[in-house]
Amino acid sequence: MTLLRPHLPAGLARRFALAAAGLAAAAVVLISLASWWLANRQHQAALAEIAARERGFHAAAVSSDLTAVHDRMAEMAASSILATGLVDSAGKETYLEPFLNGVRQINGVPVQLLFTDFEGQPIAGNPGARFSPAQLAWLREQLRDGRPGARITRDGGVDELVAMQPLVYARTPSPEGALLYKVKLSDLHAGSGMLLDWAGHGLDSDGPATPVAVPSDFRSLGLSIRGAQPSAATAGELTIAPQLASFAVIGLALFAVVVLAGGRLAALLTADLRRLEGFAREVTGEGLTQRRVPETGSSEVRGLAATINRMLDRLQAQQQALAEEGRKQAALAAALGAADRRKDEFLAMLAHELRNPLAPIATGAQLLHQAAAGDERVARTSEVIARQAAHMAKLLDDLLDVSRVTRGLVTLEHRVLDLREVVRAAVDQVQPLLHSRGHGLAVRLPDAPVWVGGDAARLVQVVSNLLNNAAKYTPAQGEIEVTLGTQGGHAALRVADNGIGIPRELMPEIFDLFTQGTRSADRSQGGLGLGLALVRNLVELHHGSVRAESAGPDQGSVFTVTLPLVPAPEQPPVPTQAPAAPAGALRVLVVDDNR
């Protein structure tokens, strides 16, 4: 169908005419082919009946031959005159041999026969009688049973029917001998083109077969006549070749007539549809308006026009609803944006206002510690106050930094930096925390400088936040590793630990604000979930990226910061020393705007 579509007419009416013509021509051809097929089936059925009757005839011929052989052998086995020859040594020459010399074929079928004693030992046979050791062994088995029997064996590549009749007389209860005989299956009158089959022979069991009626002694052989139905060449099968030309001419003529008539008829029938097509083209060009399709014409076209009108009404209603929903969404987005800005401003104001009381608290704690020279409890209390005030100041600083970054108020002092110095400065800041928790820290820095562009203080803050995070979420006596290198025009800073790891479900949001893993019982990993969010924002301000990796809980975690490399400065910055303070007394002014 895909290949035919480019060659089809553009109009629906012409397509309808072609389709009708094709169907009519196909109908004629199919009816002709069906007629030929039915006639051929009847012809084949007749041939099959002829073949079945032929098999029946040959089966009757084989049945007649086997019945004649069996009856003659049974008569000979019951003869008292022949029995005398079995027990009289002179009887063999007097009775048996002359008699057997005259038995060469029965009903035209050559027969080999042999008289044996009760042990199966040969006594006398007709001329040419020859039995294989396997056939004689089978005879001895049958003598032990004392019953007639038959089987089909292969001797020298020739299939033979071998049978025996026990010689049983009134004066003895057991057989005094046996009459063993055989015929070649090829000598039976199976007929030309027919095959004599038997149970276990292995011929095609699906082919037609006619059973052979045989005496009871031969029934276990399952004899039948098989023969294939005559072939088309020999049986005169009906052929379709002469009729194909007539079928083709009739089909083409009918096709042409239907195309011409169908085209005219289809054009009349589709006039209403073309009117609908024109209206649809105008609607698509003008957009949704109040215009509707005139509901005239045939009943089908009127129904289609009514459906189109209802669809246009619903589309117009939906368009108005969507416009109203769009206005609501815009108002909601504006309200959410204002709420988000107010949230950021509130966090900034909260952090700023909370820092004001912290300054006198920290100062008071220091003064209290100096004044408590001899009171250990007061000194310990002042240390607790100072430590917690410092922790709270750190949280507020992070909150202020996040607020500034999200509001775009952070201004970076860009200059060319050696990232190794940034890592050393960050390690110095975090060293007390690492020491307090007994962590081991391995820092691996390259020998050559790693030049990046950025704000030194902010980059130190990034590295120290990552180290703080690793120290907090790694149990005591843990191992932390910092590795700095370059890869593909970027500097890669890697901070790895063997701590509690990151759960898989937390990984997608690990860098979001206020996101934290499960806290320990002693809340030693406290915080507001700002550190990693601040890290990501500051790294992105430096045109870099940060990613987190973890194999799961208790498998540690790895944070990798990537920053673009910049060319080395023409003259590396030389650290300058601050001017020495003048000797003498100093005056210190302390200002506090919150009494």
Side-chain angles (χ1 to χ4, degrees), residues 549-563:
E549 300 171 281
S550 177
D554 299 323
Q555 299 295 318
S557 57
V558 178
F559 289 87
T560 305
V561 174
T562 303
L563 296 172

Side-chain angles (χ1 to χ4, degrees), residues 73-84 86 99 115 167 169:
M73 294 297 105
E75 180 184 352
M76 291 174 60
S79 173
S80 59
I81 297 176
L82 294 177
T84 303
L86 294 175
F99 176 79
F115 280 97
L167 304 179
Y169 304 109

